[in-house]
Amino acid sequence: MVDADPGLRLSRRALLRLGLLAGGGLVLGIGAADAEQTDTPDGAASTFAPGAWLRLHGDGRVVLMLARSEMGQGVTSALPMLVAEELEVGLDQLELEPAPVAPDYVNRLLGEQATGCSTSVRDAWGPLREAGAVARTLLVRAAAARWGVAPEACRAHRGAVHHPDGETRLGYGALAEAAARLPLPESVALKAPAQWRLIGTPQHRLDTPDKVVGAARYGLDVRLPGMRYASVARCPLSGARVSAWRADAARAVPGVEAVLAVRHGVAVVARDTWSLLRGRAALEIDCDPAADPAADQARMETRLRSRLDAHGAALAESRGDALAVLEQAERVVEADYSLPFLAHVCMEPMNCTAEVSAERCVIHVPTQAQQRVLETAQRITGLAPERIEVRTTLLGGGFGRRVEQDFVADAVELAQRLGRPVQVVWTRADDLTQDHYRPMTCHRLRATLDAEGLPRAWYHRIVGPSVLARLAPDEIADGLDPTLVEGATALPYALPALRVEYRRADLPVSLGLWRGGARAHNAHVVECFLDELAAATGRDPLALRLALLEDQLRARAVLERVAALAGWSQPPAPGHGRGIALATGYDSLVAQVVEVAPRAAGDGLRVARVWCVVDCGLAVDPDGVCAQMEGGIAFGLSVALGERISFAAGRVEQRALADYRLLRLDEMPEVEVELIAGAATPGGVGDLGPLALSPALAAAIAAAGGERQRALPLRLG
C-alpha cells in the first residue's frame, strides 16, 4: 500500500476525465472543466475527444501523451517522472507519444498548447502526479474487487497490483478495462516526499539512447512517399515585397521541378536537397523597396540613444519619489548600457513538412506552439480543425523561434498547391537573415547612495522597440510593453525609492520572443550597475548585494553559497578577476561567479571558471537541472563574447556562422554547478541559466584591471 501525505489530498473531478480504450484499457485525461465526454452503449465512458494524457492498454503498455516539445530541456524525462512516481511504474515501463492539438493539453501558465518560458514542469507538477495517483487508485480498487479484499491491503509496484498474500499479483494490463469502468474517486492522496523513488533523484534521460545511435527523429529527418523539398527566397527587408524574379537558371538545375510565387516570396521545389539548394542559389529576385536607409545600424543606435533623453515614457514600476531624491542628491552615479540585436541560431534550421488533401492536412514539424500550427493550417487550407493533425518531432533548439509560423505557412501552402507532401527547408543564411530577432535596447540607470553606500533612489529607463507590437498588440497598455521590462521590475533588492520606465522606439526590424525575454537584457544591466555602485564606494560587490537582500533569504543563500564555492573571501591570483551576479525568474534563483585569467600568450584574458548555484525549488530531475545550467552558461558566454546582428541599409550583415560569432569549444571554461534545496514545488530553469553570466563576466573583466564595459558583446583583450 502507498502511504499518502494527507496534506496533498486533492479533488479535481471537474478536470479529470476517465475513459475506456478501444479493445480494453484505461484512458485518463486532464482537460477543461467543460470538456465533453461520450458514453459507450454499455454505459462505460469512452475515450474523450480528442485526447488524454495517460493511457493504459490491455496489453500492459502504459503511454504518456507528451504535450510539451522536447528541444533539449529534458521534458521527455521530467514529465514521465511525475506520472511514473504516482502510478508506481518504472521509467523503463513508460512509453511516450507526442500529443495532438487538443484543449486537454493546454499549458495553463501560457494559456495555449505551447512550450516556453520555463513552464513545462511547473504546469505539469500537480496534474500529472494526480493523473498517476488516480490511475493507481482505480487499478488497486479493480484488483481488490476481483480478489474480494480491501484496497488498503493491496500494494502497487512496477506496473502490477500485489495481493496481501505477497505472492499473487495482477499486471496493470489485466486490470485496465475494469479500472476504466469504476467511478472516479472523490479525492486522491499523493505520495509523501519521503516515499518518492523517482522525483528528486538523478535519472538517465529517456531520449539519450536514440540520440546517441542516431535514431532520434527531428523535423529534418521526416521522409514521406513522394515528398518534395522546397526553399523559399524572401526579401531581406522587413515589409518589402518581391517585385520581380528570374527563374530560368534555377529551373535549368537538374532535379528542380518548379519555381513559383508564394505568399512570402518565391519557392524552389526539387526532388532532393542538393538540387534544391543549387536551384535556390541560381534564383534571382528583386524587392521593393530594394534598400531601407532607416534600418541602418548607426541610425538605429542613434535613435535609441536619443530616446534616453527624450521626455515621456511609460511607467513600469514606482516606489517612493525616486526622481525627487535624485534631483536633490549631491552625488548621482549614472551609466548607459546598450545591447545588440541577436538571432536565435538554433542548431536545426527552420523546417516543416506538410501533406494536404481535400479531406485532410498532416503537419510534421519541430514546433513550440502546436495550437498555432493548427490555426495556421486551418487558415490556409480552410479545413475544419478535426481534419488537421499536428505531429510534433524533436526540436534541434527552440529559444522562442519555433513559436513562429513562417516556416509552417510555407510548407502548408506548397503542399496544398502541389498536391503532394512538401518539406520546406531553411538554409543557415535564411535563419540568420530572416529571423525575428531579440530587440536591440538601450538603458540608463541612475542612483544616489547613502552614507553606508546603499542606494537611496534607483532609476532605470529602458528604450527599445516593442516585441508585442507584432505578436500581440492588444497586450500593450498605456504604451508599456511588458516583455521589455521583466527583470527590471519586482527586483529582490531593497530600494527605498525606485522608478522603472519604458520608452518605446520602434525600428524597421522584425522582432520575436527570445530565450529569457527581457530578463536577459535587464538582469545584465541591473547587475552591472550594482557593480558600478559598489566600485563608486569601494564596497565589496557581494557585501552590497547581501545588504540589499536582508529579508530575501533564498537570494542570500544562493549568493553566499556560490561565493563560498568560488573562494570569494580570498583574493584571486595576480592578473585574475572575479565577478558575481544574481538573477531571478520563473520561481527560481541563480547566482554565478565568473573568474577570468590572463591568456598564456599574454594577450588579454580568458574565461577560466564559472561557479553556479541554483535554487529552483524542488528539482524533479537534478541531473537535468544541472545540464540546463551548464548549457545555459555556454549559451550566456556565447552571447556575452560574440553574438551580434547588425544591419546595413536594411540588410542583415551576418549571412553564415562565420559571420555570427558563436562560442568555440576551446573557449568553454570549467563549470561547477550546485543545487540548493528550495520550496516544495518546482521552479523553472530552461531560461534561467544564461541570465547571470554576462554581468558576472563584465564584473570579472573590470576586477582584473580591464575597462568597465557597458555594451555587449564584451571584449576580453
Side-chain angles (χ1 to χ4, degrees), residues 61 224 260 263 281 348 428 500 556 610:
R61 291 185 301 122
L224 301 173
L260 62 159
R263 282 176 175 83
E348 178 192 21
R428 183 59 69 189
V500 180
R556 290 180 63 89
V610 177

Side-chain angles (χ1 to χ4, degrees), residues 504-586:
R504 180 172 168 178
D506 285 341
L507 302 172
V509 174
S510 184
L511 307 175
L513 303 173
W514 198 90
R515 186 177 188 179
R519 293 184 187 278
H521 298 254
N522 294 322
H524 176 79
V525 300
V526 165
E527 293 296 304
C528 282
F529 191 57
L530 278 171
D531 265 79
E532 297 214 31
L533 296 183
T537 59
R539 191 170 185 134
D540 177 76
L542 171 62
L544 173 61
R545 287 170 170 82
L546 292 176
L548 295 173
L549 294 166
E550 185 174 346
D551 298 326
Q552 300 291 320
L553 300 184
R554 292 181 69 193
R556 290 180 63 89
V558 294
L559 279 169
E560 289 171 342
R561 183 55 189 156
V562 80
L565 284 179
W568 184 268
S569 61
Q570 302 299 317
H576 291 231
R578 288 195 296 252
I580 192 168
L582 170 74
T584 64
Y586 324 106

Side-chain angles (χ1 to χ4, degrees), residues 641-661:
L641 293 177
E643 293 191 36
R644 178 176 179 266
I645 286 289
S646 58
F647 291 81
R651 296 172 182 262
V652 174
E653 295 183 297
Q654 293 76 23
R655 297 187 57 82
L657 292 182
D659 308 321
Y660 191 81
R661 190 183 182 283

Side-chain angles (χ1 to χ4, degrees), residues 261-522:
V262 292
R263 282 176 175 83
H264 302 297
V266 180
V268 178
V269 182
R271 290 192 298 268
D272 55 77
T273 54
W274 174 252
S275 303
L276 174 70
L277 297 179
R278 290 177 63 211
R280 164 73 186 274
L283 176 67
E284 299 178 58
I285 64 171
D286 298 329
C287 296
D288 183 22
D292 185 358
D296 179 80
Q297 192 66 29
R299 291 186 62 174
M300 291 191 291
E301 291 175 1
T302 299
R303 174 176 170 79
L304 293 192
R305 285 195 298 268
S306 70
R307 296 307 190 273
L308 289 173
D309 298 311
H311 293 292
L315 183 62
E317 185 179 10
S318 180
R319 182 169 60 249
D321 195 342
L323 293 179
V325 176
L326 289 166
E327 184 67 27
Q328 298 166 10
E330 294 184 4
R331 183 187 179 194
V332 174
V333 180
E334 181 175 306
D336 292 351
Y337 300 89
S338 62
L339 291 87
F341 291 111
L342 294 178
H344 293 82
V345 201
C346 301
M347 184 178 295
E348 178 192 21
M350 299 303 105
N351 67 90
C352 178
T353 304
E355 40 187 336
V356 180
S357 68
E359 300 296 326
R360 184 168 174 259
C361 173
V362 181
I363 305 167
H364 311 256
V365 59
T367 181
Q368 293 177 245
Q370 289 82 359
Q371 187 173 321
R372 298 188 192 190
V373 170
L374 186 144
E375 292 167 355
T376 296
Q378 186 180 6
R379 184 176 64 253
I380 293 173
T381 65
L383 292 171
E386 60 270 18
R387 295 185 178 274
I388 300 171
E389 183 180 353
V390 179
R391 298 181 181 176
T392 307
T393 68
L394 290 173
L395 285 62
F399 316 126
R401 179 60 177 93
R402 286 192 156 93
V403 171
E404 301 289 347
Q405 299 298 300
D406 39 11
F407 51 97
V408 176
D410 288 342
V412 174
E413 179 183 358
L414 283 165
Q416 183 178 40
R417 291 179 59 177
L418 297 175
R420 66 191 314 156
V422 174
Q423 183 176 103
V424 166
V425 178
W426 284 41
T427 65
R428 183 59 69 189
D430 291 336
D431 263 344
L432 285 166
T433 62
Q434 300 294 333
D435 203 351
H436 303 281
Y437 305 95
R438 187 181 93 163
M440 177 170 63
T441 57
C442 286
H443 302 253
R444 173 165 293 165
L445 287 95
R446 305 175 69 215
T448 184
L449 306 172
D450 62 19
E452 297 181 357
L454 300 179
R456 293 175 50 227
W458 177 283
Y459 171 85
H460 184 176
R461 171 172 278 203
I462 303 162
V463 177
S466 169
V467 174
L468 291 182
R470 178 180 69 88
L471 297 176
D474 292 344
E475 295 182 20
I476 300 174
D478 299 323
L480 181 66
D481 183 337
T483 65
L484 267 293
V485 300
E486 290 177 332
T489 58
L491 294 176
Y493 301 110
L495 301 166
L498 172 144
R499 184 178 180 88
V500 180
E501 300 175 346
Y502 168 62
R503 182 67 158 83
R504 180 172 168 178
D506 285 341
L507 302 172
V509 174
S510 184
L511 307 175
L513 303 173
W514 198 90
R515 186 177 188 179
R519 293 184 187 278
H521 298 254
N522 294 322

Side-chain angles (χ1 to χ4, degrees), residues 2-10 187-193 195:
V2 175
D3 294 331
D5 182 351
L8 292 175
R9 189 170 294 274
L10 305 173
S187 62
V188 293
L190 304 182
K191 291 169 63 176
Q195 296 178 308

Side-chain angles (χ1 to χ4, degrees), residues 45 98 106 146 160 185 198 228 268 280-281 374 417 424 521 577 628-629 638 655 676 703:
V106 166
R146 185 173 300 186
L198 296 173
R228 295 295 184 262
V268 178
R280 164 73 186 274
L374 186 144
R417 291 179 59 177
V424 166
H521 298 254
Q628 281 290 285
M629 292 300 107
S638 190
R655 297 187 57 82
I676 287 183

